[in-house]
């Protein structure tokens, strides 16, 4: 695309690509000088020009301007990046139905349900924590919400592969850092807001303000789908110019679940919408997943897929690895792997474990807390686990440059009289939990889910994934038990 098509009075230079990371700069790229939390993109202008970059978009003065390079100074580089990225890739978000889902917990589940169910009616892609996927293409995830360049490039690829819709996880970081400013959302779903990411946002109020951006920027023709049982529902409803519908269980909602029956292998409830009542049967378990399902069903219904047409596809929703994943290798006790890494998320998993664990049997939890992240929640983790568990195994969870034992001691400060031990190696900790479980006990492995990496002091290292470790240990334990 010609630079003159993107900026008024700009020279007729052919731009081959967009770049915000100088390490990835290529010949004929346009480089945007983004100011990050660690580095300022203006520092790398000369390096990028040596690589053949033909245009520099900057907000600070540039003293040494090179011949043959276009310099465009703007007030806000990120705002310009969003506008240009959408234009450069042909405004792909305007060519698809775009579902955006934000909230502390539930983003991956709601977007995955939308992708799977909506795809029975029209091809739908997904961008989020689990992967980037569309059609037969599955790519590893970048960030929960990628930067503007990757988002629009990915959406362009989706359009070219025939996608008519996309479900996008929208994180508070992505909203605060302006990564989705130029995405044309049709439906925005709010799951909930609880304690998380305060190391980045500072206060719960700032955290909420970040989430709210998705709804204040939502177009009038869009639909906001809000959790009626969350304390922030009214503020979000007031903040958006879009149409508003709600979903919930306890408070009156546009889409409401009644007569809920949660079992070990599935759930059933009555979905009330207006004067209609629908009997829903699903393989999803735990009360919080009823909320996730309601949010997804409401979003799709507001997009033109009638509830009665969705019902057959809710029976057997694809298992999301690492999200309330039941590990079944023939063992006589429950093993559940979940990504829960917030106080609210952990408590919901513990509540479910209590519901499915018979009296007289034990709940065993394996978890830690990430290094160089919100430290205040560590003691809270201990307090919550202590209320529900019979034994706790503390271990590493992305320790980065912190000592896992020090992190465990902070968690332990919240544990009252519950038996607990520390095992630094996460594999060994999971194995200990599996081998100590008796018939009808419940083992919870929390924090990393299906992630196949571990953040350590000097970067990211491969990790089997909690779900794979659990299966491996159960097979090994079961085989030894059968010999005995």
């Amino acid at each position: 695309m010609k630079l003159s098509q993107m900026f008024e009075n700009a020279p007729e230079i052919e731009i081959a690509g967009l770049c915000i990371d100088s390490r990835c700069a290529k010949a004929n790229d346009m480089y945007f000088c983004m100011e990050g939390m660690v580095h300022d993109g203006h520092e790398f202008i000369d390096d990028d020009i040596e690589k053949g970059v033909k245009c520099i978009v900057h907000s600070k003065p540039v003293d040494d301007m090179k011949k043959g390079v276009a310099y465009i100074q703007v007030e806000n580089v990120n705002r310009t990046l969003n506008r240009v990225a959408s234009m450069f890739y042909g405004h792909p978000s305007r060519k698809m139905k775009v579902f955006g889902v934000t909230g502390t917990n539930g983003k991956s589940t709601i977007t995955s349900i939308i992708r799977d169910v909506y795809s029975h009616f029209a091809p739908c892609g997904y961008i989020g924590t689990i992967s980037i996927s569309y059609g037969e293409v599955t790519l590893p995830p970048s960030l929960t919400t990628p930067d503007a360049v990757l988002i629009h490039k990915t959406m362009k690829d989706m359009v070219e592969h025939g996608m008519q819709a996309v479900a996008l996880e929208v994180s508070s970081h992505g909203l605060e850092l302006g990564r989705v400013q130029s995405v044309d959302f049709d439906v925005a779903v709010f799951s909930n807001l609880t304690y998380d990411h305060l190391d980045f946002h500072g206060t719960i109020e700032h955290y909420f303000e970040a989430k709210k951006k998705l709804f204040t920027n939502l177009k009038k023709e869009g639909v906001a789908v809000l959790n009626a049982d969350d304390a922030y529902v009214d503020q979000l409803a007031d903040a958006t110019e879009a149409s508003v519908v709600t979903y919930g269980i306890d408070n009156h909602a546009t889409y409401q679940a009644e007569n809920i029956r949660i079992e070990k292998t599935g759930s059933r409830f009555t979905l009330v919408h207006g004067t209609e009542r629908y009997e829903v049967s699903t393989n999803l378990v735990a009360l919080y997943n009823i909320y996730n399902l309601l949010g997804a069903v409401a979003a799709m219904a507001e997009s033109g897929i009638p509830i009665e047409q969705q019902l057959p596809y809710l029976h057997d929703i694809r298992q999301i690895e690492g999200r309330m994943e039941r590990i079944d290798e023939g063992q006589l006790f429950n093993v559940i792997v979940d990504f829960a890494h917030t106080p609210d998320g952990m408590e919901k998993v513990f509540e479910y474990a209590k519901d499915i664990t018979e009296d007289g049997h034990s709940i065993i939890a394996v978890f830690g807390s990430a290094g160089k992240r919100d430290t205040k929640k560590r003691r809270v983790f201990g307090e919550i686990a202590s209320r529900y568990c019979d034994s706790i195994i503390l271990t590493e969870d992305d320790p980065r440059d912190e000592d896992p034992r020090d992190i465990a001691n902070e968690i332990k400060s919240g544990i009252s009289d519950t038996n607990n031990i520390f095992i630094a190696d996460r594999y060994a900790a999971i194995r200990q939990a599996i081998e100590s479980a008796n018939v009808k006990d419940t083992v919870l492995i929390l924090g990393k889910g299906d992630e196949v990496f571990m953040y350590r002091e000097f970067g990211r290292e491969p990790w089997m994934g909690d779900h794979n470790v659990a299966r491996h240990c159960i097979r090994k334990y079961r085989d030894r038990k059968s010999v005995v």
Side-chain angles (χ1 to χ4, degrees):
M1 177 180 283
K2 298 287 187 183
L3 184 61
S4 57
Q5 294 175 263
M6 293 178 268
F7 294 93
E8 189 175 352
N9 300 322
E12 294 287 319
I13 298 175
E14 187 69 31
I15 299 298
L18 309 180
C19 177
I20 62 171
D21 186 341
S22 63
R23 295 169 298 181
C24 304
K26 302 184 297 298
N28 301 315
D29 273 359
M30 178 190 298
Y31 175 68
F32 294 82
C33 300
M34 302 288 287
E35 295 183 58
M37 291 180 286
V38 178
H39 298 293
D40 184 343
H42 292 82
E43 300 171 3
F44 307 106
I45 290 175
D46 289 344
D47 294 339
D48 293 324
I49 291 174
E50 287 183 8
K51 295 177 181 179
V53 166
K54 291 301 182 184
C55 178
I56 304 293
V57 179
H58 58 104
S59 59
K60 298 178 180 179
V62 178
D63 296 328
D64 184 19
M65 293 189 176
K66 310 294 186 183
K67 290 183 178 180
V69 178
Y71 293 84
I72 299 177
Q73 186 167 0
V74 298
E75 181 180 345
N76 187 307
V77 174
N78 186 62
R79 187 183 304 128
T80 303
L81 168 67
N82 273 270
R83 178 185 67 81
V84 171
S86 181
M87 180 186 299
F88 186 82
Y89 292 108
H91 301 295
S93 65
R94 300 178 188 176
K95 301 173 182 177
M96 292 188 290
K97 181 79 68 175
V98 181
F99 298 90
V101 181
T102 197
T104 303
N105 299 307
K107 295 186 295 296
S108 297
T109 301
I110 294 173
T111 48
S112 295
I113 293 171
I114 291 173
R115 174 198 59 193
D116 292 347
V117 176
Y118 197 94
S119 292
H120 290 285
F121 304 93
C124 182
Y126 162 83
I127 300 173
T129 308
I130 301 169
S131 66
I132 294 173
S133 61
Y134 49 96
E136 300 300 318
V137 177
T138 300
L139 303 172
S142 173
L143 302 168
T144 299
T145 307
D147 63 73
V149 175
L150 182 54
I151 284 178
H152 289 287
K153 182 182 183 302
T154 300
M155 288 186 175
K156 175 179 179 290
D157 293 340
M158 288 183 174
V159 171
E160 292 178 346
H161 278 76
M163 297 299 108
Q164 296 177 28
V166 59
L168 171 64
E169 290 188 48
V170 187
S171 68
S172 60
H173 290 70
L175 287 161
E176 187 65 28
L177 297 174
R179 294 174 184 155
V180 294
Q181 287 178 2
S182 56
V183 174
D184 184 37
F185 289 100
D186 296 286
V187 181
V189 182
F190 172 71
S191 62
N192 50 57
L193 191 135
T194 61
Y195 186 104
D196 197 19
H197 298 309
L198 299 194
D199 55 321
F200 178 78
H201 296 287
T203 67
I204 193 72
E205 290 77 19
H206 291 158
Y207 180 34
F208 170 68
E209 288 299 318
K211 295 290 188 187
K212 190 169 74 172
K213 292 178 189 292
L214 179 61
F215 300 91
T216 55
N217 295 332
L218 186 61
K219 61 190 178 184
K220 290 182 179 180
E221 301 80 16
V223 182
V225 180
L226 309 177
N227 181 351
D229 294 340
D230 189 89
Y232 293 90
V233 61
D234 291 336
Q235 293 183 60
L236 290 177
D238 292 340
T240 186
E241 295 184 350
S243 300
V244 174
V245 299
T246 58
Y247 65 94
I249 297 171
D250 298 327
N251 295 316
H252 177 73
T254 318
Y255 297 83
Q256 188 155 13
E258 296 180 351
N259 305 320
I260 299 171
R261 291 140 288 170
I262 295 176
E263 302 164 353
K264 284 188 178 182
T265 59
S267 306
R268 291 177 292 162
F269 62 92
T270 302
L271 173 55
V272 181
H273 177 58
T275 59
E276 300 296 325
R277 301 175 67 87
Y278 305 90
E279 295 305 316
V280 178
S281 175
T282 179
N283 60 320
L284 294 180
V285 296
L287 186 64
Y288 70 83
N289 269 329
I290 302 301
Y291 279 100
N292 293 333
L293 185 60
L294 284 172
V297 168
M300 290 184 285
E302 293 298 320
S303 299
I305 309 297
I307 295 174
E308 58 269 23
Q309 293 185 26
Q310 297 182 44
L311 292 177
Y313 305 108
L314 306 182
H315 291 294
D316 189 21
I317 293 172
R318 186 189 310 177
Q319 173 73 60
I320 305 171
E321 291 189 340
R323 266 70 172 181
M324 193 56 81
E325 182 175 0
R326 179 180 290 275
I327 307 298
D328 186 356
E329 293 292 332
Q331 79 279 2
L332 300 178
F333 50 90
N334 305 307
V335 178
I336 296 169
V337 172
D338 195 79
F339 187 63
H341 59 283
T342 67
D344 180 67
M346 291 185 72
E347 183 150 26
K348 286 175 177 175
V349 176
F350 286 138
E351 287 173 349
Y352 173 68
K354 185 177 180 180
D355 288 341
I356 67 168
T357 306
E358 297 179 15
D359 291 344
H361 298 278
S362 298
I363 297 175
I364 305 165
V366 182
F367 66 93
S369 188
K372 296 187 72 173
R373 293 295 183 268
D374 187 0
T375 60
K376 294 179 182 178
K377 66 184 181 183
R378 294 172 183 173
R379 179 183 175 84
V380 180
F381 284 168
E383 293 172 350
I384 295 170
S386 188
R387 293 202 302 268
Y388 292 90
C389 298
D390 298 281
S391 62
I392 299 168
I393 301 175
L394 301 175
T395 188
E396 61 183 346
D397 180 344
D398 294 332
R400 296 180 172 86
D401 62 357
E402 287 194 67
D403 186 332
R405 184 179 292 276
D406 292 340
I407 296 174
N409 284 336
E410 291 187 54
I411 298 172
K412 190 172 181 178
S413 69
I415 298 174
S416 54
D417 56 355
T418 304
N419 292 329
N420 65 89
I421 58 173
F422 169 70
I423 301 176
D425 181 78
R426 193 171 180 92
Y427 181 97
I430 294 172
R431 176 180 175 181
Q432 175 65 29
I434 297 296
E435 294 194 347
S436 64
N438 293 313
V439 174
K440 295 186 179 181
D441 284 350
T442 297
V443 175
L444 302 176
I445 305 168
L446 307 176
K448 292 194 64 63
D450 65 332
E451 289 182 340
V452 289
F453 53 81
M454 184 83 73
Y455 283 104
R456 301 195 184 279
E457 183 175 2
F458 300 107
R460 208 162 81 165
E461 293 183 355
W463 164 245
M464 286 178 65
D466 288 356
H467 56 322
N468 293 324
V469 174
R471 289 190 177 92
H472 183 265
C473 290
I474 292 170
R475 290 168 187 161
K476 192 172 182 180
Y477 172 65
R478 184 188 64 190
D479 291 345
R480 188 164 71 248
K481 287 283 286 187
S482 65
V483 172
V484 174

